[in-house]
Structures are given as C-alpha cells and as structure tokens.
Amino acid sequence: MAKSKIAYFCQSCGFESAKWLGKCPSCQAWNTFVEEIIDKGNNAAVPTWKVTSNTQQRANKPVQVADITFSEEHRMLTPDKEFNRVLGGGIVAGSLVLIGGEPGIGKSTLMLQLALNMPNLKVLYVSGEESERQIKMRAERLTTLPPPPEGGVSESIIELLAPPSGGGGGSYVLCETSTQNIFKQIEALEPDLVVIDSIQTLHSSHIESTPGSVSQVRECTAEMLRFAKETSTPVFLIGHITKDGMIAGPKILEHMVDTVLQFEGDRHHVYRILRTVKNRFGSASELGIYEMLGEGLREVSNPSEILLSQRDEPLSGITISATLEGLRPMLIETQALVSTSAYGTPQRTATGFDTKRMSMLLAVLEKRCGFRLAAKDVFLNITGGIRVEDPAIDLGLAAAIISSHEDMPVPFKTCFAGEIGLSGEIRAVNRVEQRIAEAQKLGFNQIFISKYNLPSGGQDKKRMDLSRYDIDIKIVSSIEEVFGLLFG
C-alpha cells in the first residue's frame, strides 16, 4: 500500500508546512492553513496521456539561443475580434490561459460561445459543473444547432456542433472531473482546443485531497500544463474567485499559466469587460468589451459610444476624458457631485477611480486654485461600470469637480486629456495623437492637452503634426489657465 503524507497548505498563497501554523510565513495571513493528505506512491514521472509519434519533444540538453530555429509565429484567430485583441492577436499553440470572474458573470457562456463559433477546429469542452443536457440547453440559446447525429457519437463525448461539409472540426462536450479519464478521451478525440470548466472541480488520482484544495488545483494545473506544452494544444482554464476578487487557489496557479484574463462587470448592467492581467505573448493592458444579450455575448467594437451618455443639453459636473486601455483609445464620461457636508467629516467617494488620487486632486484644487472644498462632500463616478487608472483623466475629473462646485456646465463637445501635478501644472500624456483622433472621430469640437505634448525638435515635428486635425486643440500649461478658458 502506498505511503501517504499529511501536509498543511496555506489557502492564500499555497505555502506548504509539515505542521499547522497560525500565521503563514509567506503571505503573513492568519488562520489559512488546512490539512491535506498527499499520496506519494503514485507520483509518476511520465505524463498521463499517450505521447504520439508526431508530438514535439523538447531536447533535454542545453541549446544556445542562436541555434534555436524559429519560424513565423502562427496564431489561431477566432471570429471574436475582442477576444483576439485581449490575447495579443489570437490563440498561441500550446498556451495555457486562465479566465477568472464573479459567479454568473458569463465565463462559461464566453467559452462555450467560442467553442461553437470555431467549426473548423475540433474543440473539446470539459465541464465538471454542468450536465450534458444543461450545456445543450445553453448552446441552443447561443446559436441554432443542427439536429444530433443518429450514430457515431461516443457514450462519454456528446457532439454539439457538426463541422460544415463533413470537415474535421466540431464542438464536443465531456462531463468529467478526473484528469486521467479526461486525458483518455483527449487521446481518442485528438482535439485542437480544450476548455476546462472549471479547474477547481478537477481531481487527480495522484493526490488524495478533495477537489478544489490547494494541492489538487496545483497538480491538475501542472498536468494540463505538461499536456499543452508537449502536444502544442491550447488549453483554457475557467477559475473561480474568492470573496476578495482573487482567483481561488494558490498564487502559483497564476504563475504557472501563460495568460490570465479577468472577466469583470456588474450583473445589473449589460456590459462585460475582459481584461488582461498577465500575458506572455502580448500586451498585459488590453481590454475587450462585450454586451450580454439573451443570445449570448456580443462584442462591442466602439466602446466610446456606449460609455458616453446621449445628452441634449450640457449639465454641470459632467466632462468627457480621453483614456487608453492597452492599444485602444476610449472616451469616457466622468461625473462629479460636490455638495455641502451635513456632518463634521465630509464624505469622499469614488466609483471606478482611485480614492487616494481623488484626495490629491482636491488638495491641488484647494491649494493652487483657492476653491474651498475642505467642508464639501465629493462624489466621483466613471460611467459604464469600468475602472480607469490612466492619469490622463485627471484634468477631466478636476473640471467636473469645479463645474459641480460652481454649478456651471462645461461647454458641450469638449474633451480633456492631461495629468495634473502637485504644483498645478498640466503634465504630458503618452500617445496624445490617438486621443485627439478618437475625439475628432466622435464629433467633439475641442480638446484640452498639455503644452508639453507639443513637439520640441524638428524630428518631433515631422512625427506629430497637429495641423492635420480639424478639432480645436487647446494648449494649456496650468490648471488655472484651464478654468479661465472654461468658465471665464
């Protein structure tokens, strides 16, 4: 009989200890250690799937970088342009992608919709949370499916979408939680893409602890990682999150995968945001926006139009700021409300913006511009349910605060792009030309930018030509100059 070992794992960071500890020495968290039984007798060095003859094996000896042959990078493009942008241009062969998000936000819908919309590829959707009938009901809601074939379907794998013209693709569903059984079906089916829903429901026979524990999540992820790298098959893992918004399981889970995607959004709104947290094959600051409909998720190609409210007349406390999310410029609506405080301590609340940076902006407005805001309640809101960390929206937020404080609306069709320093100066922002072009495309009349964004040398003048824009570009250097142009 195999000898078992009892160990204690931290549920926050995955730190292993031979005895129970009240405080984790790695992440300094209290009361996070749980007892788990580890089976040391079945830990085999060989993988749990069949290594076919066409499997590319890595060399076991060191190789110089100059001697490594590298052809042009090939990515699998999906019909979803937003998904391609977030991944950095498509799906990389052999990549391991982790997708996390709130319960009911649409992670399973996004992955099932991806599987159904790629008929030229053989996609295996492995579910440990839903039955075959439940997935079939959701698939029929997402798309119009053909009738099921009369024969030729495995008892364990149900085919959802037949390939067009009898091709080699199609979507298959497997309801299984054992990694050993999953790899047996993968060996028989040989899919081009694998989706796991979810990694917390899988369990390996090498570990005796319950599914979802730290050791099980780590071992199952390691098996999927070895499978993806040795067979060059992309694997998508759907992960649960904790009450703090972090992905459930050890922190090493995010280090093992190639890409980490966060699916965000308010369930009371129809818009969802797919944000890149980590990406080894592209930018880690990309963002994709979807609209949740009854037929599934619809990609939003122009997010500026949905983030801006349709107003017939200007209102006080509302401004438009130009921001960047990865390579995409967006115009967002920033709202501010300033009112007299009814209590001794004024309230300072920000939705979608850093509260500490809001306090800094209020201090600059009071110190450099003379506005009495110490006894005022200030509320900030970024519309659309998104969170922005770009400092280029400082100027728009400051203008919204003063507009609400003086009850004077900002001129209609006015946009802002500038960072505010502690001395009240307007600092330059990166890629200002893309922000100006986005404001001009949406029909804005004027945009405020920093004078430090202007070209200083002859070479810069060739690269940045502001005369080709039809929009009125206001060049400012201080926050006092901005308020003088806006409110006289």
Side-chain angles (χ1 to χ4, degrees), residues 328-358:
R328 163 186 287 181
M330 292 191 305
L331 298 187
I332 60 174
E333 182 175 309
T334 53
Q335 300 177 344
L337 178 62
V338 181
S339 61
T340 304
S341 177
Y343 305 98
T345 304
Q347 301 183 62
R348 304 291 167 83
T349 305
T351 303
F353 190 71
D354 187 14
T355 307
K356 294 182 179 179
R357 192 164 187 86
M358 178 189 70

mmCIF file of all heavy atoms in Angstrom, residues 328-358:
data_model
loop_
_atom_site.group_PDB
_atom_site.id
_atom_site.type_symbol
_atom_site.label_atom_id
_atom_site.label_comp_id
_atom_site.label_asym_id
_atom_site.label_seq_id
_atom_site.Cartn_x
_atom_site.Cartn_y
_atom_site.Cartn_z
ATOM 1 N N ARG A 328 -5.980 50.650 -27.309
ATOM 2 C CA ARG A 328 -7.268 51.179 -27.743
ATOM 3 C C ARG A 328 -7.565 52.501 -27.051
ATOM 4 O O ARG A 328 -7.595 52.581 -25.822
ATOM 5 C CB ARG A 328 -8.367 50.166 -27.435
ATOM 6 C CG ARG A 328 -9.761 50.754 -27.465
ATOM 7 C CD ARG A 328 -10.800 49.769 -27.025
ATOM 8 N NE ARG A 328 -11.025 48.749 -28.027
ATOM 9 C CZ ARG A 328 -11.911 47.768 -27.881
ATOM 10 N NH1 ARG A 328 -12.607 47.674 -26.775
ATOM 11 N NH2 ARG A 328 -12.076 46.875 -28.824
ATOM 12 N N PRO A 329 -7.798 53.584 -27.816
ATOM 13 C CA PRO A 329 -8.250 54.839 -27.204
ATOM 14 C C PRO A 329 -9.754 54.801 -26.955
ATOM 15 O O PRO A 329 -10.519 54.258 -27.758
ATOM 16 C CB PRO A 329 -7.873 55.890 -28.249
ATOM 17 C CG PRO A 329 -7.912 55.164 -29.546
ATOM 18 C CD PRO A 329 -7.524 53.730 -29.254
ATOM 19 N N MET A 330 -10.173 55.394 -25.838
ATOM 20 C CA MET A 330 -11.587 55.429 -25.495
ATOM 21 C C MET A 330 -11.908 56.778 -24.878
ATOM 22 O O MET A 330 -11.075 57.385 -24.200
ATOM 23 C CB MET A 330 -11.955 54.319 -24.497
ATOM 24 C CG MET A 330 -11.873 52.919 -25.024
ATOM 25 S SD MET A 330 -12.638 51.727 -23.886
ATOM 26 C CE MET A 330 -11.758 52.079 -22.386
ATOM 27 N N LEU A 331 -13.125 57.234 -25.108
ATOM 28 C CA LEU A 331 -13.650 58.417 -24.447
ATOM 29 C C LEU A 331 -14.644 57.977 -23.396
ATOM 30 O O LEU A 331 -15.577 57.219 -23.686
ATOM 31 C CB LEU A 331 -14.325 59.361 -25.456
ATOM 32 C CG LEU A 331 -13.449 59.948 -26.556
ATOM 33 C CD1 LEU A 331 -14.223 60.985 -27.352
ATOM 34 C CD2 LEU A 331 -12.182 60.561 -25.992
ATOM 35 N N ILE A 332 -14.425 58.411 -22.166
ATOM 36 C CA ILE A 332 -15.286 58.018 -21.057
ATOM 37 C C ILE A 332 -15.910 59.259 -20.437
ATOM 38 O O ILE A 332 -15.371 60.370 -20.545
ATOM 39 C CB ILE A 332 -14.496 57.238 -19.981
ATOM 40 C CG1 ILE A 332 -13.359 58.098 -19.431
ATOM 41 C CG2 ILE A 332 -13.968 55.930 -20.529
ATOM 42 C CD1 ILE A 332 -12.636 57.466 -18.274
ATOM 43 N N GLU A 333 -17.041 59.065 -19.828
ATOM 44 C CA GLU A 333 -17.743 60.155 -19.161
ATOM 45 C C GLU A 333 -17.412 60.135 -17.674
ATOM 46 O O GLU A 333 -17.597 59.124 -16.996
ATOM 47 C CB GLU A 333 -19.246 60.019 -19.369
ATOM 48 C CG GLU A 333 -20.049 61.154 -18.751
ATOM 49 C CD GLU A 333 -21.522 61.058 -19.087
ATOM 50 O OE1 GLU A 333 -21.850 60.919 -20.281
ATOM 51 O OE2 GLU A 333 -22.347 61.107 -18.145
ATOM 52 N N THR A 334 -16.895 61.256 -17.180
ATOM 53 C CA THR A 334 -16.559 61.404 -15.762
ATOM 54 C C THR A 334 -17.570 62.346 -15.119
ATOM 55 O O THR A 334 -17.811 63.449 -15.615
ATOM 56 C CB THR A 334 -15.139 61.955 -15.602
ATOM 57 O OG1 THR A 334 -15.000 63.152 -16.361
ATOM 58 C CG2 THR A 334 -14.118 60.936 -16.103
ATOM 59 N N GLN A 335 -18.143 61.912 -14.009
ATOM 60 C CA GLN A 335 -19.171 62.679 -13.314
ATOM 61 C C GLN A 335 -18.698 63.030 -11.910
ATOM 62 O O GLN A 335 -18.029 62.222 -11.250
ATOM 63 C CB GLN A 335 -20.478 61.882 -13.235
ATOM 64 C CG GLN A 335 -21.059 61.516 -14.584
ATOM 65 C CD GLN A 335 -22.318 60.672 -14.453
ATOM 66 O OE1 GLN A 335 -22.608 60.121 -13.392
ATOM 67 N NE2 GLN A 335 -23.067 60.580 -15.539
ATOM 68 N N ALA A 336 -19.048 64.213 -11.464
ATOM 69 C CA ALA A 336 -18.690 64.683 -10.125
ATOM 70 C C ALA A 336 -19.880 65.389 -9.511
ATOM 71 O O ALA A 336 -20.661 66.053 -10.210
ATOM 72 C CB ALA A 336 -17.489 65.620 -10.180
ATOM 73 N N LEU A 337 -20.023 65.231 -8.199
ATOM 74 C CA LEU A 337 -21.075 65.903 -7.434
ATOM 75 C C LEU A 337 -20.452 66.468 -6.172
ATOM 76 O O LEU A 337 -19.889 65.727 -5.363
ATOM 77 C CB LEU A 337 -22.204 64.930 -7.091
ATOM 78 C CG LEU A 337 -23.345 65.496 -6.242
ATOM 79 C CD1 LEU A 337 -24.050 66.634 -6.974
ATOM 80 C CD2 LEU A 337 -24.343 64.405 -5.865
ATOM 81 N N VAL A 338 -20.528 67.783 -6.019
ATOM 82 C CA VAL A 338 -19.984 68.485 -4.860
ATOM 83 C C VAL A 338 -21.142 69.141 -4.125
ATOM 84 O O VAL A 338 -21.900 69.922 -4.716
ATOM 85 C CB VAL A 338 -18.949 69.543 -5.283
ATOM 86 C CG1 VAL A 338 -18.380 70.250 -4.061
ATOM 87 C CG2 VAL A 338 -17.820 68.891 -6.079
ATOM 88 N N SER A 339 -21.282 68.807 -2.851
ATOM 89 C CA SER A 339 -22.372 69.362 -2.047
ATOM 90 C C SER A 339 -21.861 69.671 -0.647
ATOM 91 O O SER A 339 -20.813 69.160 -0.224
ATOM 92 C CB SER A 339 -23.555 68.382 -1.971
ATOM 93 O OG SER A 339 -23.152 67.168 -1.358
ATOM 94 N N THR A 340 -22.611 70.500 0.067
ATOM 95 C CA THR A 340 -22.226 70.880 1.428
ATOM 96 C C THR A 340 -22.385 69.690 2.361
ATOM 97 O O THR A 340 -23.409 68.993 2.340
ATOM 98 C CB THR A 340 -23.078 72.046 1.921
ATOM 99 O OG1 THR A 340 -22.949 73.138 0.997
ATOM 100 C CG2 THR A 340 -22.643 72.500 3.303
ATOM 101 N N SER A 341 -21.372 69.448 3.192
ATOM 102 C CA SER A 341 -21.395 68.301 4.088
ATOM 103 C C SER A 341 -22.343 68.552 5.244
ATOM 104 O O SER A 341 -22.328 69.628 5.864
ATOM 105 C CB SER A 341 -19.984 68.018 4.615
ATOM 106 O OG SER A 341 -20.006 66.951 5.533
ATOM 107 N N ALA A 342 -23.180 67.573 5.552
ATOM 108 C CA ALA A 342 -24.109 67.673 6.681
ATOM 109 C C ALA A 342 -23.507 67.152 7.968
ATOM 110 O O ALA A 342 -24.131 67.259 9.020
ATOM 111 C CB ALA A 342 -25.399 66.910 6.362
ATOM 112 N N TYR A 343 -22.315 66.588 7.892
ATOM 113 C CA TYR A 343 -21.654 66.025 9.069
ATOM 114 C C TYR A 343 -20.325 66.745 9.279
ATOM 115 O O TYR A 343 -19.891 67.569 8.470
ATOM 116 C CB TYR A 343 -21.428 64.521 8.897
ATOM 117 C CG TYR A 343 -22.689 63.760 8.580
ATOM 118 C CD1 TYR A 343 -23.002 63.429 7.268
ATOM 119 C CD2 TYR A 343 -23.591 63.401 9.578
ATOM 120 C CE1 TYR A 343 -24.161 62.744 6.959
ATOM 121 C CE2 TYR A 343 -24.756 62.716 9.279
ATOM 122 C CZ TYR A 343 -25.042 62.389 7.970
ATOM 123 O OH TYR A 343 -26.184 61.714 7.673
ATOM 124 N N GLY A 344 -19.678 66.411 10.364
ATOM 125 C CA GLY A 344 -18.402 67.048 10.658
ATOM 126 C C GLY A 344 -17.313 66.653 9.701
ATOM 127 O O GLY A 344 -16.492 67.485 9.298
ATOM 128 N N THR A 345 -17.300 65.378 9.296
ATOM 129 C CA THR A 345 -16.290 64.886 8.364
ATOM 130 C C THR A 345 -16.922 64.729 6.990
ATOM 131 O O THR A 345 -17.879 63.976 6.834
ATOM 132 C CB THR A 345 -15.718 63.539 8.838
ATOM 133 O OG1 THR A 345 -15.190 63.676 10.153
ATOM 134 C CG2 THR A 345 -14.625 63.052 7.893
ATOM 135 N N PRO A 346 -16.422 65.416 5.974
ATOM 136 C CA PRO A 346 -17.021 65.292 4.636
ATOM 137 C C PRO A 346 -16.768 63.917 4.039
ATOM 138 O O PRO A 346 -15.763 63.261 4.320
ATOM 139 C CB PRO A 346 -16.326 66.396 3.832
ATOM 140 C CG PRO A 346 -15.029 66.622 4.539
ATOM 141 C CD PRO A 346 -15.300 66.383 5.995
ATOM 142 N N GLN A 347 -17.681 63.486 3.188
ATOM 143 C CA GLN A 347 -17.564 62.189 2.522
ATOM 144 C C GLN A 347 -16.822 62.352 1.203
ATOM 145 O O GLN A 347 -17.039 63.302 0.461
ATOM 146 C CB GLN A 347 -18.951 61.596 2.248
ATOM 147 C CG GLN A 347 -19.794 61.388 3.485
ATOM 148 C CD GLN A 347 -21.125 60.742 3.157
ATOM 149 O OE1 GLN A 347 -21.188 59.621 2.648
ATOM 150 N NE2 GLN A 347 -22.204 61.455 3.427
ATOM 151 N N ARG A 348 -15.936 61.401 0.931
ATOM 152 C CA ARG A 348 -15.177 61.376 -0.316
ATOM 153 C C ARG A 348 -15.309 59.972 -0.899
ATOM 154 O O ARG A 348 -14.686 59.027 -0.392
ATOM 155 C CB ARG A 348 -13.706 61.729 -0.075
ATOM 156 C CG ARG A 348 -13.511 63.075 0.624
ATOM 157 C CD ARG A 348 -13.899 64.212 -0.296
ATOM 158 N NE ARG A 348 -14.027 65.486 0.379
ATOM 159 C CZ ARG A 348 -13.022 66.309 0.659
ATOM 160 N NH1 ARG A 348 -11.791 65.945 0.351
ATOM 161 N NH2 ARG A 348 -13.241 67.471 1.217
ATOM 162 N N THR A 349 -16.122 59.825 -1.938
ATOM 163 C CA THR A 349 -16.410 58.513 -2.529
ATOM 164 C C THR A 349 -16.118 58.556 -4.023
ATOM 165 O O THR A 349 -16.501 59.512 -4.709
ATOM 166 C CB THR A 349 -17.882 58.119 -2.305
ATOM 167 O OG1 THR A 349 -18.170 58.171 -0.901
ATOM 168 C CG2 THR A 349 -18.138 56.706 -2.808
ATOM 169 N N ALA A 350 -15.426 57.519 -4.510
ATOM 170 C CA ALA A 350 -15.105 57.425 -5.931
ATOM 171 C C ALA A 350 -15.468 56.037 -6.431
ATOM 172 O O ALA A 350 -15.116 55.031 -5.802
ATOM 173 C CB ALA A 350 -13.618 57.699 -6.179
ATOM 174 N N THR A 351 -16.170 55.969 -7.555
ATOM 175 C CA THR A 351 -16.547 54.716 -8.200
ATOM 176 C C THR A 351 -15.814 54.607 -9.533
ATOM 177 O O THR A 351 -16.011 55.428 -10.427
ATOM 178 C CB THR A 351 -18.065 54.657 -8.434
ATOM 179 O OG1 THR A 351 -18.741 54.822 -7.188
ATOM 180 C CG2 THR A 351 -18.451 53.325 -9.049
ATOM 181 N N GLY A 352 -14.945 53.600 -9.628
ATOM 182 C CA GLY A 352 -14.162 53.422 -10.838
ATOM 183 C C GLY A 352 -12.889 54.232 -10.882
ATOM 184 O O GLY A 352 -12.225 54.288 -11.935
ATOM 185 N N PHE A 353 -12.508 54.865 -9.765
ATOM 186 C CA PHE A 353 -11.316 55.707 -9.714
ATOM 187 C C PHE A 353 -10.682 55.561 -8.342
ATOM 188 O O PHE A 353 -11.357 55.274 -7.345
ATOM 189 C CB PHE A 353 -11.683 57.171 -9.993
ATOM 190 C CG PHE A 353 -10.498 58.078 -10.190
ATOM 191 C CD1 PHE A 353 -9.719 57.982 -11.327
ATOM 192 C CD2 PHE A 353 -10.163 59.029 -9.244
ATOM 193 C CE1 PHE A 353 -8.633 58.816 -11.519
ATOM 194 C CE2 PHE A 353 -9.084 59.864 -9.419
ATOM 195 C CZ PHE A 353 -8.311 59.762 -10.570
ATOM 196 N N ASP A 354 -9.356 55.797 -8.279
ATOM 197 C CA ASP A 354 -8.621 55.658 -7.031
ATOM 198 C C ASP A 354 -8.996 56.781 -6.067
ATOM 199 O O ASP A 354 -8.908 57.969 -6.405
ATOM 200 C CB ASP A 354 -7.118 55.682 -7.315
ATOM 201 C CG ASP A 354 -6.294 55.365 -6.078
ATOM 202 O OD1 ASP A 354 -6.866 54.883 -5.092
ATOM 203 O OD2 ASP A 354 -5.063 55.590 -6.106
ATOM 204 N N THR A 355 -9.410 56.403 -4.859
ATOM 205 C CA THR A 355 -9.840 57.399 -3.878
ATOM 206 C C THR A 355 -8.673 58.268 -3.416
ATOM 207 O O THR A 355 -8.844 59.474 -3.174
ATOM 208 C CB THR A 355 -10.489 56.700 -2.674
ATOM 209 O OG1 THR A 355 -11.515 55.814 -3.136
ATOM 210 C CG2 THR A 355 -11.118 57.701 -1.722
ATOM 211 N N LYS A 356 -7.484 57.688 -3.291
ATOM 212 C CA LYS A 356 -6.324 58.469 -2.854
ATOM 213 C C LYS A 356 -5.939 59.513 -3.901
ATOM 214 O O LYS A 356 -5.555 60.639 -3.548
ATOM 215 C CB LYS A 356 -5.152 57.542 -2.570
ATOM 216 C CG LYS A 356 -5.380 56.602 -1.391
ATOM 217 C CD LYS A 356 -4.158 55.743 -1.128
ATOM 218 C CE LYS A 356 -4.397 54.825 0.070
ATOM 219 N NZ LYS A 356 -3.216 53.962 0.339
ATOM 220 N N ARG A 357 -6.042 59.159 -5.151
ATOM 221 C CA ARG A 357 -5.739 60.144 -6.193
ATOM 222 C C ARG A 357 -6.805 61.232 -6.233
ATOM 223 O O ARG A 357 -6.496 62.395 -6.535
ATOM 224 C CB ARG A 357 -5.619 59.452 -7.551
ATOM 225 C CG ARG A 357 -5.024 60.360 -8.620
ATOM 226 C CD ARG A 357 -4.558 59.595 -9.835
ATOM 227 N NE ARG A 357 -3.858 60.469 -10.772
ATOM 228 C CZ ARG A 357 -2.580 60.771 -10.717
ATOM 229 N NH1 ARG A 357 -1.836 60.273 -9.733
ATOM 230 N NH2 ARG A 357 -2.014 61.567 -11.605
ATOM 231 N N MET A 358 -8.043 60.900 -5.931
ATOM 232 C CA MET A 358 -9.079 61.917 -5.850
ATOM 233 C C MET A 358 -8.767 62.901 -4.729
ATOM 234 O O MET A 358 -8.936 64.116 -4.889
ATOM 235 C CB MET A 358 -10.444 61.256 -5.623
ATOM 236 C CG MET A 358 -11.581 62.246 -5.485
ATOM 237 S SD MET A 358 -13.136 61.508 -4.957
ATOM 238 C CE MET A 358 -12.721 61.091 -3.263
#
